[in-house]
Amino acid sequence: TSTSTSTSTSTSSSSLTASTSSSNLSGGSGGGSSTSTSTSTNENVPLAAAVLNLSAACARDEEMRHRLIRAGVLSAAEQLLANKNQLAPTLKNAADVALHNLRIALDANLARRLAQMDAARQRALIEAAAKDIVVSPRFSAETLAKSRQHRARVVNEILGTEKNYVEILHSMITVYMEPLSSVPEKVCSRDERKTMFPIVEILLQVHSVFLQQLETRVMEQRQNADVLLGDVFVNLAEVLKVYRTFINNYDAASNTLAQCLKRREFVRFVEAAQERAKTKNLSSLLITPIQRIPRYCLLLADLIKHMPPDHADRVNCATALAQIEEIADYLDMEKDKSVSKHRLRHMEQCIQNAAGMDLSEYSWRRFYREGPLILETEKKSSEYVYLYLLTDLLLLTTQKGRRKFRLRNTYSTETMAVFNLPNESDEELDRNAFQILTDKGSIVLYTTKPDEKTEWMDDLRAATIANKKRLGAASS
């Protein structure tokens, strides 16, 4: 079956390329075009559309997807859509569907490969981290000496910034958190203190131990050509997930501080504490832990970049970098989850007739975007609507007041497809039109700006892909 399909695909690709060579695929009569050219065009449009739809179906198989790419089908479809304003609607829609399905296939194949990586995950992470760092293939004696000097500067920066970070965590506790426990509740309540300084004591303990290990290693190996810190960072990586609580709570901490700073007594306390201890302002201190993990990634990458391939610490540093980058990605994902959950709960309060819809019920559900659009009605008139896009749902509502909405319809993203619509007139609004095919029929929407249309279409496709991945993982 694969052989016959491959032959068909290659033949189809040639047909598609031949079809796209005509300048009259729009179906209109170009200047100077002959009757025979027009006839050929009318025959080529359905042929090219059929080829694109066949290609999209074949792309569900990973091997066939690679053959399609080698045959030039994907690039031909992309070239077609680059001139979409000149395309006949039949061909443009076919190209849209083909690219949509090809991209879903790409993401689905990637998801399958990632799911099969568990056994070799650690090794793959190490290799990926090392591969992404550019290293000169030749190291002369002069280059080696300069690289060694650079690594020494990076080690000093690691040690110096870690000392500074531990001092900042210590100041957060001794200058602000602990003294605030003695002020009246009306100045800063116990709950507000807990919200502003989540797990700071735990972070101080973790980084005090790490700093001690760094100082010991530097002292032990100061006379050596290099100070090897890779294994120390590997040990640190094992405990960095504690940052999840701090990062998820950061917005609440920042908002609580803003509320407290509206109180005159609290402002006087903070200003006096800052002047007495000569520290940064409290807002700057609170954001420092958010910035620390990405800083480790930059410092480790800088070390690896200036190591020869056979350096004794290269594997450990690459391992640590891969683990810390993975934790940084995990923490970003947890942050997104927390933000999405907050937005979903806010939606439940805004949509008046959404009683019984627990939008934040599922941990996998993400908020993508919201905003006003113009809906084309059955009578070809239009009306303003307000849409909410989630991983698995598109909610169409009507605004009934300030941040108050009435739910009119919900659409599943599982079978959703999104298409750009061609310009049918010179009206500015028509240039911002797109169509959504849903399980309940088709809807046509307009945005007021071209960039906004692109963002909505991209997010709708991203939500559809994410939902298909989720459903695929649940069924396997």
PDB file of all heavy atoms in Angstrom, residues 374-385 396 408 442-446:
ATOM      1  N   ILE A 374     -17.189  40.479  15.061  1.00  0.00           N
ATOM      2  CA  ILE A 374     -18.442  40.737  14.355  1.00  0.00           C
ATOM      3  C   ILE A 374     -18.887  39.439  13.697  1.00  0.00           C
ATOM      4  O   ILE A 374     -18.122  38.812  12.961  1.00  0.00           O
ATOM      5  CB  ILE A 374     -18.260  41.849  13.307  1.00  0.00           C
ATOM      6  CG1 ILE A 374     -17.807  43.134  14.000  1.00  0.00           C
ATOM      7  CG2 ILE A 374     -19.545  42.075  12.527  1.00  0.00           C
ATOM      8  CD1 ILE A 374     -17.348  44.214  13.052  1.00  0.00           C
ATOM      9  N   LEU A 375     -20.107  39.014  13.995  1.00  0.00           N
ATOM     10  CA  LEU A 375     -20.649  37.757  13.485  1.00  0.00           C
ATOM     11  C   LEU A 375     -21.566  38.035  12.299  1.00  0.00           C
ATOM     12  O   LEU A 375     -22.457  38.888  12.378  1.00  0.00           O
ATOM     13  CB  LEU A 375     -21.430  37.042  14.592  1.00  0.00           C
ATOM     14  CG  LEU A 375     -22.214  35.792  14.191  1.00  0.00           C
ATOM     15  CD1 LEU A 375     -21.265  34.649  13.841  1.00  0.00           C
ATOM     16  CD2 LEU A 375     -23.167  35.378  15.313  1.00  0.00           C
ATOM     17  N   GLU A 376     -21.371  37.299  11.204  1.00  0.00           N
ATOM     18  CA  GLU A 376     -22.283  37.389  10.061  1.00  0.00           C
ATOM     19  C   GLU A 376     -23.501  36.521  10.342  1.00  0.00           C
ATOM     20  O   GLU A 376     -23.371  35.337  10.642  1.00  0.00           O
ATOM     21  CB  GLU A 376     -21.578  36.919   8.781  1.00  0.00           C
ATOM     22  CG  GLU A 376     -22.432  37.038   7.537  1.00  0.00           C
ATOM     23  CD  GLU A 376     -21.697  36.549   6.302  1.00  0.00           C
ATOM     24  OE1 GLU A 376     -20.899  37.320   5.736  1.00  0.00           O
ATOM     25  OE2 GLU A 376     -21.913  35.375   5.915  1.00  0.00           O
ATOM     26  N   THR A 377     -24.684  37.107  10.259  1.00  0.00           N
ATOM     27  CA  THR A 377     -25.913  36.368  10.544  1.00  0.00           C
ATOM     28  C   THR A 377     -26.450  35.702   9.280  1.00  0.00           C
ATOM     29  O   THR A 377     -25.932  35.907   8.186  1.00  0.00           O
ATOM     30  CB  THR A 377     -26.982  37.305  11.130  1.00  0.00           C
ATOM     31  OG1 THR A 377     -27.341  38.264  10.128  1.00  0.00           O
ATOM     32  CG2 THR A 377     -26.457  38.026  12.362  1.00  0.00           C
ATOM     33  N   GLU A 378     -27.503  34.902   9.445  1.00  0.00           N
ATOM     34  CA  GLU A 378     -28.078  34.169   8.319  1.00  0.00           C
ATOM     35  C   GLU A 378     -28.617  35.101   7.250  1.00  0.00           C
ATOM     36  O   GLU A 378     -28.652  34.753   6.068  1.00  0.00           O
ATOM     37  CB  GLU A 378     -29.188  33.242   8.815  1.00  0.00           C
ATOM     38  CG  GLU A 378     -28.678  32.114   9.707  1.00  0.00           C
ATOM     39  CD  GLU A 378     -29.802  31.229  10.193  1.00  0.00           C
ATOM     40  OE1 GLU A 378     -30.972  31.522   9.833  1.00  0.00           O
ATOM     41  OE2 GLU A 378     -29.521  30.262  10.906  1.00  0.00           O
ATOM     42  N   LYS A 379     -29.045  36.281   7.610  1.00  0.00           N
ATOM     43  CA  LYS A 379     -29.604  37.237   6.650  1.00  0.00           C
ATOM     44  C   LYS A 379     -28.534  38.170   6.075  1.00  0.00           C
ATOM     45  O   LYS A 379     -28.842  39.222   5.521  1.00  0.00           O
ATOM     46  CB  LYS A 379     -30.694  38.066   7.328  1.00  0.00           C
ATOM     47  CG  LYS A 379     -31.878  37.234   7.820  1.00  0.00           C
ATOM     48  CD  LYS A 379     -32.921  38.107   8.486  1.00  0.00           C
ATOM     49  CE  LYS A 379     -34.105  37.264   8.959  1.00  0.00           C
ATOM     50  NZ  LYS A 379     -35.128  38.105   9.634  1.00  0.00           N
ATOM     51  N   LYS A 380     -27.286  37.756   6.200  1.00  0.00           N
ATOM     52  CA  LYS A 380     -26.156  38.502   5.664  1.00  0.00           C
ATOM     53  C   LYS A 380     -25.972  39.868   6.316  1.00  0.00           C
ATOM     54  O   LYS A 380     -25.312  40.751   5.772  1.00  0.00           O
ATOM     55  CB  LYS A 380     -26.258  38.672   4.139  1.00  0.00           C
ATOM     56  CG  LYS A 380     -26.120  37.380   3.359  1.00  0.00           C
ATOM     57  CD  LYS A 380     -24.739  36.767   3.529  1.00  0.00           C
ATOM     58  CE  LYS A 380     -24.586  35.480   2.751  1.00  0.00           C
ATOM     59  NZ  LYS A 380     -23.250  34.866   2.925  1.00  0.00           N
ATOM     60  N   SER A 381     -26.606  40.058   7.475  1.00  0.00           N
ATOM     61  CA  SER A 381     -26.332  41.256   8.247  1.00  0.00           C
ATOM     62  C   SER A 381     -25.251  40.883   9.268  1.00  0.00           C
ATOM     63  O   SER A 381     -24.665  39.808   9.188  1.00  0.00           O
ATOM     64  CB  SER A 381     -27.607  41.753   8.933  1.00  0.00           C
ATOM     65  OG  SER A 381     -28.103  40.755   9.804  1.00  0.00           O
ATOM     66  N   SER A 382     -24.974  41.751  10.235  1.00  0.00           N
ATOM     67  CA  SER A 382     -23.915  41.444  11.195  1.00  0.00           C
ATOM     68  C   SER A 382     -24.282  41.966  12.573  1.00  0.00           C
ATOM     69  O   SER A 382     -25.141  42.840  12.714  1.00  0.00           O
ATOM     70  CB  SER A 382     -22.597  42.067  10.737  1.00  0.00           C
ATOM     71  OG  SER A 382     -22.719  43.471  10.623  1.00  0.00           O
ATOM     72  N   GLU A 383     -23.621  41.407  13.579  1.00  0.00           N
ATOM     73  CA  GLU A 383     -23.837  41.841  14.957  1.00  0.00           C
ATOM     74  C   GLU A 383     -22.565  41.597  15.751  1.00  0.00           C
ATOM     75  O   GLU A 383     -21.753  40.719  15.424  1.00  0.00           O
ATOM     76  CB  GLU A 383     -25.006  41.080  15.590  1.00  0.00           C
ATOM     77  CG  GLU A 383     -24.786  39.580  15.696  1.00  0.00           C
ATOM     78  CD  GLU A 383     -25.917  38.873  16.421  1.00  0.00           C
ATOM     79  OE1 GLU A 383     -26.291  39.359  17.509  1.00  0.00           O
ATOM     80  OE2 GLU A 383     -26.397  37.853  15.918  1.00  0.00           O
ATOM     81  N   TYR A 384     -22.392  42.372  16.803  1.00  0.00           N
ATOM     82  CA  TYR A 384     -21.227  42.198  17.663  1.00  0.00           C
ATOM     83  C   TYR A 384     -21.456  41.041  18.633  1.00  0.00           C
ATOM     84  O   TYR A 384     -22.537  40.923  19.229  1.00  0.00           O
ATOM     85  CB  TYR A 384     -20.931  43.477  18.450  1.00  0.00           C
ATOM     86  CG  TYR A 384     -20.190  44.511  17.649  1.00  0.00           C
ATOM     87  CD1 TYR A 384     -20.877  45.532  16.979  1.00  0.00           C
ATOM     88  CD2 TYR A 384     -18.803  44.462  17.544  1.00  0.00           C
ATOM     89  CE1 TYR A 384     -20.198  46.472  16.235  1.00  0.00           C
ATOM     90  CE2 TYR A 384     -18.108  45.403  16.800  1.00  0.00           C
ATOM     91  CZ  TYR A 384     -18.808  46.407  16.144  1.00  0.00           C
ATOM     92  OH  TYR A 384     -18.130  47.323  15.398  1.00  0.00           O
ATOM     93  N   VAL A 385     -20.430  40.202  18.778  1.00  0.00           N
ATOM     94  CA  VAL A 385     -20.468  39.107  19.745  1.00  0.00           C
ATOM     95  C   VAL A 385     -19.145  39.115  20.518  1.00  0.00           C
ATOM     96  O   VAL A 385     -18.196  39.815  20.145  1.00  0.00           O
ATOM     97  CB  VAL A 385     -20.666  37.733  19.057  1.00  0.00           C
ATOM     98  CG1 VAL A 385     -22.038  37.630  18.434  1.00  0.00           C
ATOM     99  CG2 VAL A 385     -19.575  37.473  18.029  1.00  0.00           C
ATOM    100  N   LEU A 396     -19.545  31.381  22.422  1.00  0.00           N
ATOM    101  CA  LEU A 396     -20.053  32.577  21.759  1.00  0.00           C
ATOM    102  C   LEU A 396     -21.063  33.232  22.687  1.00  0.00           C
ATOM    103  O   LEU A 396     -22.062  32.618  23.070  1.00  0.00           O
ATOM    104  CB  LEU A 396     -20.694  32.212  20.419  1.00  0.00           C
ATOM    105  CG  LEU A 396     -21.053  33.377  19.482  1.00  0.00           C
ATOM    106  CD1 LEU A 396     -20.945  32.936  18.030  1.00  0.00           C
ATOM    107  CD2 LEU A 396     -22.453  33.910  19.764  1.00  0.00           C
ATOM    108  N   ARG A 408     -24.582  32.164  24.295  1.00  0.00           N
ATOM    109  CA  ARG A 408     -25.495  31.833  23.195  1.00  0.00           C
ATOM    110  C   ARG A 408     -25.222  30.454  22.603  1.00  0.00           C
ATOM    111  O   ARG A 408     -26.141  29.754  22.196  1.00  0.00           O
ATOM    112  CB  ARG A 408     -25.387  32.889  22.091  1.00  0.00           C
ATOM    113  CG  ARG A 408     -25.984  34.218  22.493  1.00  0.00           C
ATOM    114  CD  ARG A 408     -25.754  35.299  21.459  1.00  0.00           C
ATOM    115  NE  ARG A 408     -26.091  34.898  20.102  1.00  0.00           N
ATOM    116  CZ  ARG A 408     -26.016  35.699  19.048  1.00  0.00           C
ATOM    117  NH1 ARG A 408     -25.622  36.960  19.223  1.00  0.00           N
ATOM    118  NH2 ARG A 408     -26.334  35.278  17.843  1.00  0.00           N
ATOM    119  N   SER A 442     -21.331  26.206  10.137  1.00  0.00           N
ATOM    120  CA  SER A 442     -20.293  27.176   9.805  1.00  0.00           C
ATOM    121  C   SER A 442     -20.640  28.551  10.364  1.00  0.00           C
ATOM    122  O   SER A 442     -21.804  28.953  10.363  1.00  0.00           O
ATOM    123  CB  SER A 442     -20.136  27.250   8.285  1.00  0.00           C
ATOM    124  OG  SER A 442     -19.331  28.344   7.916  1.00  0.00           O
ATOM    125  N   ILE A 443     -19.626  29.266  10.841  1.00  0.00           N
ATOM    126  CA  ILE A 443     -19.832  30.655  11.271  1.00  0.00           C
ATOM    127  C   ILE A 443     -18.758  31.519  10.614  1.00  0.00           C
ATOM    128  O   ILE A 443     -17.607  31.109  10.463  1.00  0.00           O
ATOM    129  CB  ILE A 443     -19.802  30.825  12.809  1.00  0.00           C
ATOM    130  CG1 ILE A 443     -18.511  30.269  13.406  1.00  0.00           C
ATOM    131  CG2 ILE A 443     -20.998  30.180  13.453  1.00  0.00           C
ATOM    132  CD1 ILE A 443     -18.395  30.509  14.907  1.00  0.00           C
ATOM    133  N   VAL A 444     -19.153  32.719  10.207  1.00  0.00           N
ATOM    134  CA  VAL A 444     -18.239  33.674   9.593  1.00  0.00           C
ATOM    135  C   VAL A 444     -18.075  34.851  10.547  1.00  0.00           C
ATOM    136  O   VAL A 444     -19.059  35.413  11.036  1.00  0.00           O
ATOM    137  CB  VAL A 444     -18.771  34.159   8.231  1.00  0.00           C
ATOM    138  CG1 VAL A 444     -17.865  35.253   7.657  1.00  0.00           C
ATOM    139  CG2 VAL A 444     -18.874  32.991   7.254  1.00  0.00           C
ATOM    140  N   LEU A 445     -16.808  35.197  10.812  1.00  0.00           N
ATOM    141  CA  LEU A 445     -16.494  36.253  11.765  1.00  0.00           C
ATOM    142  C   LEU A 445     -15.604  37.295  11.117  1.00  0.00           C
ATOM    143  O   LEU A 445     -14.852  37.008  10.190  1.00  0.00           O
ATOM    144  CB  LEU A 445     -15.805  35.670  13.001  1.00  0.00           C
ATOM    145  CG  LEU A 445     -16.643  34.701  13.836  1.00  0.00           C
ATOM    146  CD1 LEU A 445     -15.746  33.842  14.709  1.00  0.00           C
ATOM    147  CD2 LEU A 445     -17.648  35.461  14.709  1.00  0.00           C
ATOM    148  N   TYR A 446     -15.685  38.532  11.636  1.00  0.00           N
ATOM    149  CA  TYR A 446     -14.850  39.619  11.149  1.00  0.00           C
ATOM    150  C   TYR A 446     -14.157  40.269  12.356  1.00  0.00           C
ATOM    151  O   TYR A 446     -14.735  40.373  13.440  1.00  0.00           O
ATOM    152  CB  TYR A 446     -15.683  40.692  10.448  1.00  0.00           C
ATOM    153  CG  TYR A 446     -16.482  40.200   9.264  1.00  0.00           C
ATOM    154  CD1 TYR A 446     -17.742  39.615   9.443  1.00  0.00           C
ATOM    155  CD2 TYR A 446     -15.992  40.337   7.976  1.00  0.00           C
ATOM    156  CE1 TYR A 446     -18.486  39.169   8.363  1.00  0.00           C
ATOM    157  CE2 TYR A 446     -16.735  39.897   6.878  1.00  0.00           C
ATOM    158  CZ  TYR A 446     -17.979  39.311   7.086  1.00  0.00           C
ATOM    159  OH  TYR A 446     -18.703  38.874   6.008  1.00  0.00           O
TER     160      TYR A 446
END
